[in-house]
Amino acid sequence: MDATQTALRLFVFHHAGGSHVSYRQWPALLPAQWDVRLLDAPGHGRLGDLPQLDNAGRLADFFLRRLEPELQVPYAFFGHSMGALVAYEMSVRLAARGKRLPVWLGLSARAAPHHQGQDRDHHQLPDAELQTHLEVLGGTPDEVFDNPALWALYDPLIRADMRLVETWRPRPDTPALPVAVSVFGGSQDVSVPPRRLAGWERHTERFLGLRVLAGGHFYFQDDPAPLLGRIRQDVAAALAPAAAARA
């Protein structure tokens, strides 16, 4: 898409063990004037031939190096679960470096940053317990659990992603982001219930709200329309001050 025609460039970051495939319907369901980019982390999806990264800071830097030329138009980040953590860490790095910031940051199914571990080390669980945890979360095809060969391929991928999430800790002196932020979650998410999402308000100067939608951890999987509708509304709200200033 020509940059002169781009109203917004939206970068979408996937969850642990996932890829861009889970979000492949989104570009057709979002405004035509948006340039929607579905990204893969190394070792996932279209980047499956690259070595996987199990450190959030290194993964954020990987994306920033690749995306820097694409950040010259109004842009936004949306991340789900692991993707939310990475999108936040990228925004923090951009702010610290004095770079152009996203006009909006959407964080989904990721608890607000905390300085002491609250999450169980799922990446170290025995296979049976890890599979049970993943089944509760949803988002993983049943055949992965039923086929030992598939599980042997998936197991190291998900464990490395979970290690990235569970070992990440925010820097205690990180200032609130000067970015409009919306937070999303599922009302029945047993892993990241809404009460664990509310703390994000402290990490931004412009909190647009907590959006709790029906469903579990992958509340948008069967029908992304409610989430995408909220994204359109919140991006419009984030862009409104700049539009008013130009009027």
Side-chain angles (χ1 to χ4, degrees), residues 41-57:
H44 301 67
R46 293 166 296 202
L47 301 184
D49 58 334
L50 296 182
Q52 191 174 358
L53 299 175
D54 63 359
N55 175 275

Side-chain angles (χ1 to χ4, degrees), residues 213-234:
L213 303 175
H217 193 68
F218 290 91
Y219 58 91
F220 57 84
Q221 188 171 40
D222 293 334
D223 180 12
L227 170 61
L228 299 184
R230 288 283 358 178
I231 289 175
R232 288 193 296 271
Q233 293 174 32
D234 285 0

Side-chain angles (χ1 to χ4, degrees), residues 25 30 41 70 78 112 122 131 159 172 205 215 232-233 236 243:
Q25 301 177 34
L30 288 167
E70 309 297 324
F78 175 91
H122 293 99
Q131 290 178 4
R159 288 184 188 276
E205 296 176 3
R232 288 193 296 271
Q233 293 174 32

